[in-house]
Amino acid sequence: MNLRLLLLTSLLPAPAHAGPRTSANYSILTDTADAGGRRGTSANYTNDGSLGGVAGISNVASPAEVAKSGYLGQLYDVTGLTLNAASLTVNEGATDQLAAWQLLDDATILAVPAASVAWSVQSGPLTGISASGLATAGIVYQDNVAIAQGSYLGNTGTLALTVKNVNPDDFGSYAGDGLDDAWQNQYFGLNNPNAAPGVDFDGTGQTNVFKYIAGLNPLDGSRFTLSIDFVPDPLHPGQFLAGQKKLTFSPRFADRTYTITARPSLTLGGWNAITASAPSDNGATRSVTDLNASDPAKFYHVEIMKP
């Protein structure tokens, strides 16, 4: 059992005031005499009063504060420890200041100096917590939850923090290789050399970096395909339109951009955009007609852009 002693500067009832009062944290439209334990509330505070002008329990949500006035002596027991942080979300590699309060059985709280708390990492991607309560987030390949723990005078509290993945290419052995670390971990697990950009793990002739950009599974033998066909003449069944070719490729995804370019030689000249019809989509398949395909030879190239 603990004893908290509050001194009053005056025991005289406070006069009622009719005018409004405001501050950065609360607003009271009018003051009224407290008639024995009424509650006053606003968006930022609550006050449970007792008979007299200087009495009651007042609290503010942020920063968490509780005040009890009007008591010459007050008994309380500590029932637990609650933790909080400057932010419940922290970027990977950044720091976050933790804080602690004792929970009391009279619904009030007492602030505990952060340096007096025994801090530790219960789980998740925190590399450590300093003696002053400064938590450091580790490097992650996707958003992850970490649990911080604090102990003080026999009571222990925990706090969940979200560690944000702000750099998609900085995790472990996959860092800086040009591929999204989450994609590599999804298919290959942690630190697997088969996840390297230039590896063709399933033997399709298309590498991991190509399959990542194209939206393919690098393990199941799936491939990006392009076919070139004649365009039927709608006015002459069984015949084809001269100087046109139908290009069909798959798979296509709405979040990627596809550009078809061509040149008359595999080794000479640059790749130039074709004169094409509007694309026609059927699920994951897209068809485009090259309206100027009269060259003796023409080689096509599909450029895929992933945002």
Side-chain angles (χ1 to χ4, degrees):
M1 184 70 72
N2 300 285
L3 177 64
R4 181 165 59 191
L5 203 57
L6 302 179
L7 298 180
L8 299 180
T9 58
S10 173
L11 295 178
L12 296 176
H17 299 283
R21 294 185 298 169
T22 61
S23 79
N25 296 306
Y26 73 91
S27 175
I28 303 177
L29 295 180
T30 58
D31 288 340
T32 59
D34 185 349
R38 291 180 178 175
R39 168 170 285 195
T41 64
S42 79
N44 296 303
Y45 80 95
T46 62
N47 182 79
D48 292 319
S50 63
L51 187 63
V54 184
I57 303 173
S58 300
N59 62 72
V60 177
S62 180
E65 296 178 5
V66 175
K68 274 196 169 186
S69 56
Y71 296 88
L72 288 176
Q74 180 181 327
L75 297 176
Y76 66 89
D77 282 321
V78 177
T79 60
L81 189 72
T82 184
L83 308 181
N84 209 334
S87 174
L88 295 180
T89 299
V90 57
N91 291 341
E92 58 181 348
T95 58
D96 197 10
Q97 180 62 53
L98 307 184
W101 290 267
Q102 288 180 305
L103 297 173
L104 310 183
D105 62 351
D106 59 3
T108 62
I109 57 176
L110 286 177
V112 177
S116 299
V117 178
W119 299 102
S120 61
V121 179
Q122 186 180 95
S123 63
L126 293 177
T127 60
I129 306 175
S130 73
S132 62
L134 191 66
T136 302
I139 303 300
V140 295
Y141 63 86
Q142 62 185 9
D143 293 355
N144 212 332
V145 174
I147 306 297
Q149 179 173 288
S151 298
Y152 179 71
L153 297 182
N155 290 297
T156 298
T158 59
L159 179 67
L161 301 172
T162 299
V163 179
K164 298 287 291 182
N165 176 36
V166 294
N167 183 343
D169 190 17
D170 64 352
F171 183 81
S173 65
Y174 300 152
D177 64 3
L179 291 182
D180 190 317
D181 300 331
W183 185 88
Q184 292 173 291
N185 278 277
Q186 175 186 353
Y187 290 108
F188 296 98
L190 299 176
N191 302 319
N192 188 337
N194 289 322
V199 172
D200 174 18
F201 181 77
D202 55 3
T204 60
Q206 297 175 349
T207 63
N208 287 333
V209 66
F210 179 89
K211 291 198 169 188
Y212 167 68
I213 295 172
L216 299 172
N217 184 328
L219 307 178
D220 65 358
S222 58
R223 301 181 72 253
F224 182 86
T225 61
L226 170 66
S227 64
I228 306 170
D229 300 295
F230 293 103
V231 179
D233 187 340
L235 301 179
H236 302 89
Q239 299 184 34
F240 302 98
L241 295 176
Q244 295 189 20
K245 290 292 188 295
K246 182 181 179 181
L247 312 174
T248 303
F249 61 84
S250 179
R252 54 145 309 260
F253 299 97
D255 64 343
R256 287 162 169 81
T257 301
Y258 302 87
T259 303
I260 299 179
T261 59
R263 65 183 182 184
S265 168
L266 276 178
T267 58
L268 300 176
W271 294 98
N272 299 307
I274 65 173
T275 302
S277 67
S280 174
D281 294 332
N282 182 14
T285 300
R286 171 167 291 181
S287 297
V288 174
T289 298
D290 181 359
L291 302 175
N292 184 18
S294 57
D295 300 271
K298 197 167 189 178
F299 299 89
Y300 294 95
H301 180 259
V302 181
E303 297 177 359
I304 307 172
M305 295 292 294
K306 182 184 183 302

